[in-house]
Amino acid sequence: MITLENVSKTYGSGAQAIHALKPTDLHVPQGAIHGVIGLSGAGKSTLIRCVNLLERPSSGRVFVDGQELTALSPQALNQARHRVGMIFQHFNLLSSRTVFANVALPLELMGVPRREIRERVQPLLDLTGLTDKHDKYPAELSGGQKQRVAIARALASRPKVLLCDEATSALDPQTTSSILELLKDINRKLGLTILLITHEMEVVKSICHRVGLIAGGELVEEADVGDFFTAP
Ligand code: ADP
Ligand code: ADP
């Protein structure tokens, strides 16, 4: 479902060049929950942002759902991005919009008619446990509830893939567990493929099927999660 071929990213040039991501191959099959773990500065954010081309790779090819994103025109890329949802550490909600209006936003931008937006948003609020939060503003919500809104918004365009950039790093352990349960649920119910980056072992242990370790911009090890954590 996600394939990176020889994808690298260098920031700056010459003596100032930072090789944030060295040429990397990655394959995440459909329906998988794949984690990439590493320390701060290892290149995790760069890697995940290359998947939907939020960051344009310096080299290599990116495929999502059989389509090469790195070969698309800007308009075609915008369309293709509907199939790739993303959530972030700090939620990135719009403070002036209600929960409903935050989740509706991507659909408005896609030109979905108002009535259809209403029909599509309500089930997403139910799925993410926000049924009664419809008219609240982000400032009235807990961190976990804000991340639920961000998840509902990411699902609005019916993506095939969900990218999670340190999605639980701003949350306490109990809230983290409930968000991870929700992600598992979504993976199971919707068959959504999930790629997540984290610096937390517990996150990987509790939901990932497979995990890669990134260090110094290189994916240095990859294994099924049971093997990854088995003591020698
Ligand atoms: P992580 O997510 O694992 O903390 P990042 O991908 O954010 O790692 O960063 C990898 C390296 O790339 C770090 O050395 C970081 O300072 C550098 N870096 C990240 N983004 C930029 C940028 N926009 N410009 C220059 N250097 C960057
Ligand atoms: P899966 O979901 O089973 O892991 P993918 O979604 O990665 O499969 O791939 C589906 C299709 O995408 C492949 O059958 C192929 O047509 C195309 N594809 C994926 N990676 C590449 C690649 N590196 N080069 C060309 N086509 C590719």
Side-chain angles (χ1 to χ4, degrees), residues 1-5 27-31 61-68 193:
M1 180 54 74
I2 302 171
T3 302
L4 304 187
E5 264 182 23
H27 181 73
V28 182
Q30 176 167 11
R61 307 204 289 168
V62 176
F63 299 84
V64 173
D65 196 21
Q67 189 174 34
E68 185 184 350
T193 304

Side-chain angles (χ1 to χ4, degrees), residues 12-214:
S13 60
Q16 268 83 53
I18 296 170
H19 301 288
L21 187 65
K22 297 182 182 148
T24 296
D25 293 324
L26 175 71
H27 181 73
V28 182
Q30 176 167 11
I33 303 182
H34 190 104
V36 173
I37 189 166
L39 299 174
S40 176
K44 302 182 297 293
S45 264
T46 302
L47 171 70
I48 203 164
R49 291 162 62 88
C50 279
V51 173
N52 59 358
L53 304 202
L54 271 185
E55 208 66 76
R56 178 61 67 170
S58 305
S59 73
R61 307 204 289 168
V62 176
F63 299 84
V64 173
D65 196 21
Q67 189 174 34
E68 185 184 350
L69 301 191
T70 35
L72 298 179
S73 68
Q75 297 93 316
L77 179 60
N78 273 338
Q79 287 297 315
R81 280 204 179 114
H82 298 155
R83 281 177 283 130
V84 187
M86 190 163 186
I87 58 173
F88 303 89
Q89 180 173 2
H90 296 296
F91 324 125
N92 297 3
L93 301 179
L94 295 180
S95 57
S96 63
R97 283 183 159 235
T98 64
V99 166
F100 178 91
N102 265 283
V103 177
L105 182 64
L107 300 175
E108 288 171 19
L109 295 176
M110 287 163 70
V112 174
R114 196 169 281 276
R115 194 170 60 86
E116 190 185 332
I117 289 179
R118 273 200 302 275
E119 285 167 5
R120 282 172 65 169
V121 169
Q122 192 57 50
L124 290 170
L125 297 182
D126 298 340
L127 175 72
T128 51
L130 296 167
T131 306
D132 58 341
K133 301 289 181 227
H134 201 272
D135 294 324
K136 298 282 185 205
Y137 285 88
E140 302 174 278
L141 303 176
S142 69
Q145 289 166 343
K146 285 181 206 169
Q147 194 60 291
R148 287 170 185 272
V149 178
I151 291 168
R153 180 181 58 183
L155 297 178
S157 60
R158 298 183 177 143
K160 297 281 185 69
V161 166
L162 182 64
L163 305 177
C164 308
D165 185 347
E166 297 279 7
T168 56
S169 297
L171 304 174
D172 62 59
Q174 205 178 337
T175 311
T176 292
S177 306
S178 78
I179 293 296
L180 295 177
E181 283 308 313
L182 175 60
L183 292 176
K184 270 194 228 179
D185 211 38
I186 287 166
N187 168 258
R188 214 175 32 233
K189 281 190 190 150
L190 308 180
L192 201 73
T193 304
I194 297 179
L195 174 62
L196 66 86
I197 60 164
T198 181
H199 64 277
E200 293 172 301
M201 295 284 188
E202 287 311 311
V203 169
V204 166
K205 275 187 187 168
S206 71
I207 71 164
C208 292
H209 306 144
R210 209 168 157 77
V211 57
L213 175 67
I214 189 170

